[in-house]
Amino acid sequence: CPPVPPPQEDPSGTFVQLRLSLVQTACGKRAPRPQNCRTLENRRKPVCVACYKFDRGDVPKVLDKYHNCGPSHHMAVK
């Protein structure tokens, strides 16, 4: 996994960005999540970018969020 950038402080809150690379496995969607799922070759490998904005309280609340998942070649252009 690539390193996650540190949270960015702003007067309006804290911003966190996550980048996730996903792969399809042979395990069913409804099956319990065993650790030994086989990765399916030559399948889609979407990359997801998620951004969250938290308030500055003692117990942070999510003020805003953004998710974008798509094929890795589409995410490289954005």
Side-chain angles (χ1 to χ4, degrees):
C1 292
V4 175
Q8 296 180 6
E9 294 292 332
D10 184 89
S12 65
T14 300
F15 296 83
V16 177
Q17 178 183 358
L18 303 172
R19 182 182 210 89
L20 308 168
S21 297
L22 306 177
V23 294
Q24 287 183 301
T25 65
C27 294
K29 190 185 275 189
R30 302 269 183 222
R33 305 212 187 274
Q35 297 298 319
N36 58 353
C37 288
R38 181 174 53 86
T39 300
L40 297 176
E41 297 298 322
N42 299 323
R43 296 295 179 110
R44 295 179 301 136
K45 294 182 179 176
V47 174
C48 296
V49 174
C51 297
Y52 293 90
K53 178 181 176 183
F54 296 93
D55 70 2
R56 300 185 66 123
D58 291 339
V59 180
K61 294 179 184 172
V62 176
L63 299 177
D64 200 3
K65 61 186 174 185
Y66 168 80
H67 301 114
N68 188 350
C69 294
S72 57
H73 64 276
H74 287 155
M75 295 304 292
V77 174
K78 292 185 179 183

